[in-house]
Amino acid sequence: MTTRRFLLAGMAGAALTVMLGAGSATSVVAAGVAAQEQSRSDQGTARREMRAGNQLSLSEIEDRIVPRMKRGGAEYLGPSYDSTARAYRFKFIRNGRVSYVDVDARTGRIISRSR
């Protein structure tokens, strides 16, 4: 068995360490490639929607959400975009606990929070 590290799509700096047996590396890599392709597609959709005036830019939404969370002691880990929901998911960590804030990309309003 070997140990390998893979970067997860959409999570800058995060890595997944996986114990791999013979033949399983291919399926893990294929899943990572598919996730990366979906992430690129979602990013392109977000860009097109923003340019068309249908939604706010990522930086506008971050300027609204991130300072609020930082005041509460959370560290910002990064965003991801869901083109189907037209929503951003912001990832934070505070006191060792990860939380998510889902934001409507059209309005900048918080849809939900998980703690």
Side-chain angles (χ1 to χ4, degrees):
M1 225 175 243
T2 61
T3 302
R4 303 216 181 174
R5 286 176 78 84
F6 297 95
L7 284 180
L8 299 175
M11 296 175 60
L16 170 67
T17 302
V18 182
M19 296 298 287
L20 301 172
S24 63
T26 303
S27 60
V28 171
V29 171
V33 169
Q36 229 175 7
E37 287 173 4
Q38 179 63 42
S39 178
R40 283 190 195 118
S41 172
D42 283 348
Q43 289 170 4
T45 300
R47 202 171 294 114
R48 282 189 303 278
E49 291 294 325
M50 190 266 306
R51 287 182 183 149
N54 297 329
Q55 66 187 45
L56 301 172
S57 71
L58 173 59
S59 62
E60 286 178 280
I61 297 172
E62 284 176 327
D63 289 347
R64 293 179 184 189
I65 304 301
V66 174
R68 279 194 233 170
M69 297 298 289
K70 284 188 173 183
R71 280 192 297 272
E75 178 184 344
Y76 182 47
L77 299 177
S80 62
Y81 180 73
D82 181 341
S83 62
T84 304
R86 284 187 171 176
Y88 283 100
R89 171 166 276 187
F90 295 100
K91 186 175 182 180
F92 296 90
I93 190 165
R94 187 175 131 215
N95 299 327
R97 294 187 139 207
V98 174
S99 64
Y100 299 93
V101 177
D102 295 331
V103 179
D104 185 315
R106 292 164 286 204
T107 64
R109 291 191 178 134
I110 294 174
I111 300 168
S112 67
R113 293 179 192 217
S114 66
R115 296 176 194 230

